Amino acid sequence: QDQLAESGGGLVQAGGSLRLSCAASGRTFSVHAMGWFRQAPGKGREFVAWISASGGHRDYADSVKGRFTISRDNAKNTVSLQMNGLKPEDTAVYYCAVQGRDPYGYPSSYNSWGQGTQVTVSS
């Protein structure tokens, strides 16, 4: 099981940028897809972005398409989220997560989570 640690959050004005990083410890990082999620005050956790194990495929929530970019560096066991054109509604705690696999090896639920990093976007 991987241990994840997010970093890079902070306070930024609307229209600004932040780059979040997630460092993983574990020997199987490179064979798992990864995702970024966020949770705003009073709201449930929502999907933000996903990247395949190889980094060849990506997916984004409609709310962040064109503004956020997910990437990974398997040699360094890291996954990043570049956030541009930030809006106040992006304010949330951001989490990275490891996507598990079912007994056949197909992608399944997210089974490992970091502690989160706070992103606050001011008006």
Side-chain angles (χ1 to χ4, degrees):
Q1 182 175 320
D2 288 281
Q3 297 184 76
L4 308 176
E6 300 94 338
S7 63
L11 175 64
V12 65
Q13 291 187 335
S17 299
L18 284 173
R19 185 176 180 86
L20 307 183
S21 294
C22 175
S25 61
R27 302 180 66 180
T28 60
F29 175 83
S30 64
V31 304
H32 291 283
M34 298 286 294
W36 282 98
F37 294 78
R38 66 187 182 187
Q39 187 166 20
K43 298 180 63 178
R45 187 170 297 181
E46 68 172 329
F47 167 77
V48 175
W50 172 90
I51 187 167
S52 63
S54 68
H57 298 85
R58 301 171 178 84
D59 193 27
Y60 301 93
D62 288 341
S63 60
V64 306
K65 285 182 179 178
R67 299 188 297 121
F68 291 11
T69 303
I70 188 171
S71 61
R72 68 190 297 160
D73 185 341
N74 287 345
K76 297 182 178 180
N77 280 14
T78 59
V79 60
S80 299
L81 185 69
Q82 178 66 47
M83 306 185 296
N84 299 326
L86 284 164
K87 306 174 180 179
E89 48 264 47
D90 294 319
T91 295
V93 177
Y94 284 71
Y95 302 88
C96 63
V98 177
Q99 187 172 33
R101 296 183 180 275
D102 66 15
Y104 292 100
Y106 293 109
S108 185
S109 62
Y110 292 87
N111 58 17
S112 186
W113 299 81
Q115 294 298 307
T117 185
Q118 176 71 50
V119 172
T120 303
V121 184
S122 63
S123 301

